[in-house]
Every structure is written in C-alpha cells, then in structure tokens.
Amino acid sequence: MVLLLTPALPDTPVGGRLGGAPPRTVEDHPWLATHRYVLTLPAGCAPWAAGREVSVLLRDGFDIGDEDLTYPGLAMRALVHPPSPRGGRPDRGWPGLRAAALTPLAAGHDGPGHDGPGLVRIADTPQLIQHEPSYAAAVEADGHRFLFQVDEEGWPVDGELEDVVEEYLWGYGSVYFYGTPGPDGLVDEVVAGFIDF
C-alpha cells in the first residue's frame, strides 16, 4: 500500500491539512510551547492509524545546520490524536507555511504544479534519497517500523500553490517517521527516525 498526499486548495479545517492553525485537540499540548505545527495526516490514512490523525511538529526556529538531527532527539515530533478540526492558534503554525488541504495523489501521477512525488508518502517501506539503509539502524534497533515520510521534493513548484512554503524546512530532504504497532496493529506513538537529503 502506498498513499501519496499533496497540498491542494481550498484549505480545509478538517482531514488532511498543512500549515495554519494546529488541530484544536493538540493546541494546548506541551510540545507546542517549543514546536510549531506543520501538517496533519487524515484519519484512516493507514491501517496503523485507524480512525486517528497524526500531526507533525517542528522545533521552533529549526535550521538544517542545528544539532538535533539524530534519533531519538530529532527536532521533529508527531502526535497521534482523535480527529479534530483546526483550532484557533495560527500563531503556532510554522512561519512561511501557507494553510492548505492535504489530498491523495495517485501513485505514479504528477498533478498540476508537481514535478515529483507527493509531499507525504505513507507506505510499508521508505523511499530513500541516498539509498543508505543504515540511517534507520538506530530507530529500527528500538523495534520501530517505517510508517511515513515527508519529502520536500513533493512541494508544488508552480500554479496556485507555488508559494505554499517560503523556504524548505529540512534542506530539501525527507524526514522518515516510525512507530511500533501494538497487538491490535495500531501505533500509539510516532517518532522521527532520521533525515535524508
């Protein structure tokens, strides 16, 4: 199973979304004191998520030259939570990231304004940039398996969303997220495994 998600207009207050205010259910989470909201995967996007959403956060002020680039201390965080509409805290969204929907893009299809893959790739195996599987050694040693990646090659390059992001978040690379399914097959905690660029 591969599901690609791409930014789209109009923006949506529910479901898959990018930028803008974080979901209401997470806007008071302690991590939002130090991190900014980036995106939310829609409920039901993968069997391990079931009816829950996953929101990705990035440490406020993050720069690709910073030191928090290795597992388990990456600057990225992910929260698994019940479906929730956007809240009222746009100030906790990532600066320079325009609010938009995240909608499915058929595998192998390049939509308007897209020269590459989807921005989010949910799959059983990662699509590596440098083809270096050892990058995942530490996160896999803790028993986690790959869940999804956010790939900056998937930013729209023209059209009405060419300005969706002011500057790349992690060096025009990809961040890979992992988790450990419980006996019911659901993942309750999602962790950032590594950055590849």
Side-chain angles (χ1 to χ4, degrees):
M1 174 213 81
V2 175
L3 174 63
L4 303 176
L5 300 174
T6 188
L9 292 176
D11 180 26
T12 180
V14 297
R17 53 209 186 263
L18 173 75
R24 183 174 297 129
T25 194
V26 303
E27 63 186 356
D28 292 325
H29 192 282
W31 283 349
L32 276 173
T34 56
H35 289 67
R36 298 281 190 117
Y37 170 73
V38 176
L39 61 85
T40 297
L41 304 184
C45 64
W48 52 264
R52 299 167 303 159
E53 296 177 334
V54 179
S55 289
V56 173
L57 313 174
L58 180 58
R59 182 182 47 75
D60 200 2
F62 173 79
D63 182 86
I64 197 64
D66 293 344
E67 294 183 5
D68 47 358
L69 298 177
T70 57
Y71 173 82
L74 267 77
M76 286 61 82
R77 298 280 185 261
L79 294 169
V80 179
H81 58 83
S84 175
R86 286 191 191 276
R89 297 285 314 271
D91 60 303
R92 296 317 304 160
W94 187 260
L97 182 57
R98 186 172 166 194
L102 274 179
T103 61
L105 179 68
H109 172 75
D110 291 336
H114 300 277
D115 288 337
L119 179 65
V120 177
R121 181 177 180 273
I122 303 166
D124 295 329
T125 57
Q127 190 169 40
L128 302 175
I129 295 172
Q130 295 189 38
H131 305 289
E132 184 51 64
S134 66
Y135 290 168
V139 69
E140 290 176 347
D142 279 349
H144 299 302
R145 71 171 179 87
F146 174 75
L147 303 174
F148 68 95
Q149 67 193 78
V150 182
D151 186 346
E152 292 202 286
E153 191 178 347
W155 291 118
V157 295
D158 57 29
E160 61 186 356
L161 275 171
E162 66 183 334
D163 64 346
V164 70
V165 64
E166 199 169 278
E167 66 180 66
Y168 297 127
L169 305 182
W170 33 81
Y172 198 66
S174 190
V175 178
Y176 300 80
F177 291 87
Y178 286 71
T180 301
D184 57 2
L186 301 182
V187 172
D188 293 321
E189 180 183 5
V190 174
V191 297
F194 63 97
I195 298 176
D196 188 11
F197 54 92

